[in-house]
Amino acid sequence: YLLGLSNLQFARGFVFTFIVVLQMMLAFVIRRHHHPLSNKYLLGTVALVLLLQVLIVTVPALRLLFKIS
């Protein structure tokens, strides 16, 4: 309620973010036999995806585009 969102809007945003984070964790689970910091491209990609996810959840135009607002 602090952001003026209904329960359905909050749930959509939460589930969308949860799925994105789980997919990023899956990349590290698949590489469990290697050191997690050994692949700089993977780390950069995960950081970029998480940054984009924060932007999607916080920027009103992107929330509208992804239909989470």
Side-chain angles (χ1 to χ4, degrees):
Y1 293 106
L2 295 174
L3 299 174
L5 300 174
S6 71
N7 288 338
L8 180 60
Q9 291 169 332
F10 177 77
R12 283 182 182 160
F14 181 81
V15 170
F16 181 58
T17 301
F18 185 70
I19 290 171
V20 168
V21 171
L22 284 180
Q23 288 297 311
M24 294 301 99
M25 289 174 55
L26 180 62
F28 289 105
V29 169
I30 290 171
R31 293 185 46 86
R32 70 183 175 271
H33 299 296
H34 303 282
H35 190 271
L37 303 177
S38 66
N39 189 339
K40 304 292 188 229
Y41 294 114
L42 178 62
L43 289 174
T45 302
V46 168
L48 178 64
V49 167
L50 294 177
L51 175 68
L52 289 172
Q53 181 63 27
V54 168
L55 290 174
I56 289 170
V57 173
T58 57
V59 175
L62 292 175
R63 286 193 342 221
L64 185 63
L65 179 67
F66 284 88
K67 297 180 182 168
I68 59 170
S69 68

